[in-house]
């Protein structure tokens, strides 16, 4: 059995907000950001009970959380918003991101979304391009005044799960 075979994708529990917040911070900081930058991002990356109730949070679990992704449901626009997508830094390239991405695609199809959008960390832009997202524009960061990040979109009519 490969390591990826041991990973189970499941809905996050309401009690896991702190662990998901910690994972998000750890994964983001592994891109080389300093403590001051991370402090500025803390609120935006926090996985609160309200966010856990409002969005679909999915975790990759292999005897502990090793990745997470969230999907906001926006039926009015038929667009899903990926708010977070993080993998334990030392497990990148292990297939966890692929499993989480498959789950988000499945859920997007279930909800009848026409597209997915996200605001990407510049260090993750290539990852998202590799799975089909296209940069639409630069958008202001939700955490850092004066910083702009890639706003990306994926048209789902060409994707099959």
């Amino acid at each position: 059995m490969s390591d990826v075979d041991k990973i189970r994708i499941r809905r996050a529990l309401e009690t896991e907000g702190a662990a998901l917040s910690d994972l998000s911070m750890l994964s983001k900081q592994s891109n080389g950001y300093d403590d001051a930058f991370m402090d500025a991002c803390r609120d935006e990356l926090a996985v609160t009970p309200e966010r856990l109730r409002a969005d679909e949070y999915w975790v990759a679990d292999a005897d502990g959380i090793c990745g997470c992704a969230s999907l906001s449901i926006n039926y009015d626009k038929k667009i899903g918003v990926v708010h977070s997508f993080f993998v334990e830094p030392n497990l990148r390239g292990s297939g966890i991101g692929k499993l989480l991405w498959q789950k988000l695609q499945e859920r997007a199809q279930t909800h009848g979304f026409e597209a997915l959008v996200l605001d990407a960390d510049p260090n993750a832009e290539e990852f998202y391009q590799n799975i089909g997202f296209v940069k639409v524009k630069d958008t202001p960061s939700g955490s850092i005044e004066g910083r702009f990040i890639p706003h990306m979109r994926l048209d789902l009519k060409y994707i099959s799960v």
Side-chain angles (χ1 to χ4, degrees):
M1 178 190 307
S2 71
D3 289 340
V4 77
D5 292 331
K6 298 175 187 174
I7 298 167
R8 180 173 61 105
I9 305 299
R10 62 170 175 78
R11 283 296 291 263
L13 305 174
E14 273 197 47
T15 57
E16 294 176 319
L20 295 173
S21 296
D22 290 346
L23 172 64
S24 300
M25 292 288 287
L26 178 68
S27 182
K28 180 98 170 167
Q29 191 161 30
S30 72
N31 290 321
Y33 297 118
D34 63 20
D35 290 340
F37 181 96
M38 294 307 300
D39 284 342
C41 295
R42 189 170 307 282
D43 288 343
E44 188 176 10
L45 295 178
V47 181
T48 64
E50 294 78 22
R51 283 190 177 150
L52 283 167
R53 284 190 294 274
D55 298 341
E56 289 188 8
Y57 268 86
W58 296 91
V59 299
D61 188 336
D63 296 324
I65 296 172
C66 53
C68 68
S70 72
L71 186 62
S72 295
I73 311 304
N74 184 342
Y75 292 108
D76 293 340
K77 296 181 180 178
K78 289 287 191 180
I79 294 174
V81 180
V82 178
H83 176 72
S84 65
F85 198 106
F86 295 103
V87 172
E88 186 80 35
N90 62 343
L91 296 175
R92 287 183 183 150
S94 68
I96 293 168
K98 181 178 180 180
L99 292 173
L100 286 166
W101 175 235
Q102 287 171 344
K103 177 53 76 175
L104 291 187
Q105 283 182 304
E106 172 191 305
R107 297 303 300 154
Q109 185 177 43
T110 297
H111 290 294
F113 292 149
E114 296 170 1
L116 291 175
V117 297
L118 57 85
D119 292 335
D121 184 287
N123 293 297
E125 184 175 1
E126 183 179 354
F127 169 80
Y128 292 117
Q129 287 173 336
N130 288 339
I131 58 176
F133 280 85
V134 174
K135 181 179 172 181
V136 176
K137 63 182 178 180
D138 286 321
T139 191
S141 165
S143 301
I144 311 292
E145 189 173 334
R147 180 178 191 244
F148 289 85
I149 57 178
H151 179 74
M152 304 184 80
R153 178 184 172 97
L154 173 66
D155 185 349
L156 294 173
K157 68 181 178 180
Y158 303 110
I159 303 293
S160 62
V161 180

